[in-house]
Amino acid sequence: MVSEKVLIVYAHQSSGSFNSAAKDAALEVLTAKGCTVEVSDLYAMKFKATATAEDITGKVKNADHFCYGEETKLAWEEGKLTADITEEQRKLTEADLVIFQFPMYWFTVPAIMKGWMDRVLTLGFAFTHEKRYSQGIFKDKKAMLSFTTGSQESMFSANGINGDMNVTLWPLQNGILHYCGFQVLAPQIFWAPSHVPSEARGTMLESWRTRMQGLLGENPLAFTPLDCFDG
Ligand code: FMN
């Protein structure tokens, strides 16, 4: 695992949050293991969340019927994506592992992180029709979700009020990460840290620190290979 590169894409407004502590633990443990770690602190960066024509410098191809996918593909090929996107794409290109650290908002990532996904994982750079899922562009990279909830674990079980967490995470883990080819590691879920005593929060962080010792050696989750489908 020595000299692996890790990118932490982090979305929380407060340095006093549990998410911040989880991000700091990852930074500390992985750096101590010899990894080079970069952090994209999205709120601190005031990262733009909306996918718009302003993401392209200069003239767009079809301003009357602007298609974000096609236009950003062209802009990426011509080096005309804005600097904030290009910089995140650079970090991503260099990374062996990407950790998304966030509080769950409405069963998914906060809007600012979804904006990072919308704007950084552009057509051509992150996927094409031919290169996706098991043949995806990032198939030599790993990615994982690390997040906090407000809900207790039992609420996200198959019979719980929220339903199965695996189903909840399918759009993120399969529809975004695996779609771009990433080998997706099991999520790190911190259940309701704001509703447990500080001792229990310490235990959660400790188990995260322990897991990180072998993180890059973990087997990824299994998804259906692309060649099982005709399309
Ligand atoms: N918690 C859930 O378990 N499921 C949700 O869908 C969910 N949606 C939320 C949406 C918003 C806009 C906000 C503000 C909170 C939501 N929560 C939800 C609770 C947060 O996930 C929880 O407060 C956070 O994970 C606690 O982490 P922190 O102490 O680092 O802020």
Side-chain angles (χ1 to χ4, degrees):
M1 173 148 161
V2 175
S3 81
E4 300 267 12
K5 292 197 171 179
V6 180
L7 170 61
I8 303 175
V9 183
Y10 164 70
H12 200 289
Q13 305 87 344
S14 169
S15 59
S17 65
F18 186 90
N19 272 275
S20 179
K23 177 258 297 170
D24 288 345
L27 183 57
E28 189 192 313
V29 173
L30 295 171
T31 304
K33 283 186 70 66
C35 297
T36 306
V37 185
E38 285 200 272
V39 179
S40 289
D41 183 345
L42 301 182
Y43 287 106
M45 293 157 72
K46 299 194 190 313
F47 193 79
K48 178 174 173 280
T50 50
T52 68
E54 281 76 53
D55 294 343
I56 293 151
T57 57
K59 276 215 161 83
V60 299
K61 193 173 159 215
N62 189 342
D64 294 335
H65 182 188
F66 177 76
C67 295
Y68 194 80
E70 294 308 318
E71 294 278 2
T72 51
K73 177 171 184 284
L74 204 61
W76 171 72
E77 286 164 354
E78 295 174 350
K80 288 182 176 170
L81 288 171
T82 49
D84 61 338
I85 296 177
T86 307
E87 175 62 359
E88 294 309 299
Q89 290 184 338
R90 195 244 344 131
K91 294 177 192 172
L92 187 46
T93 300
E94 291 179 8
D96 300 297
L97 167 68
V98 185
I99 301 174
F100 294 90
Q101 181 64 57
F102 59 95
M104 174 172 269
Y105 277 8
W106 295 117
F107 281 38
T108 186
V109 294
I112 199 164
M113 185 172 278
K114 181 58 167 45
W116 187 97
M117 292 165 170
D118 289 349
R119 297 179 64 237
V120 176
L121 302 176
T122 55
L123 176 60
F125 169 73
F127 67 94
T128 66
H129 184 72
E130 295 76 31
K131 292 182 187 168
R132 50 187 175 164
Y133 291 120
S134 51
Q135 275 102 60
I137 290 174
F138 301 139
K139 62 180 161 43
D140 296 326
K141 300 181 189 296
K142 293 177 176 171
M144 67 173 291
L145 307 177
S146 175
F147 61 96
T148 57
T149 67
S151 306
Q152 308 295 334
E153 184 170 7
S154 58
M155 296 162 76
F156 268 109
S157 62
N159 297 318
I161 191 168
N162 295 334
D164 192 333
M165 181 57 96
N166 289 314
V167 176
T168 305
L169 297 182
W170 180 256
L172 292 170
Q173 294 191 144
N174 186 66
I176 300 176
L177 300 180
H178 186 50
Y179 189 84
C180 294
F182 284 109
Q183 299 169 44
V184 183
L185 301 183
Q188 179 72 24
I189 309 178
F190 302 103
W191 298 103
S194 348
H195 304 298
V196 298
S198 71
E199 198 178 285
R201 278 196 292 278
T203 307
M204 286 186 205
L205 280 178
E206 225 22 75
S207 69
W208 176 219
R209 286 174 169 276
T210 304
R211 183 181 172 193
M212 274 183 291
Q213 296 298 335
L215 199 59
L216 276 149
E218 286 184 12
N219 286 326
L221 301 174
F223 293 97
T224 312
L226 186 59
D227 52 22
C228 290
F229 297 100
D230 293 327

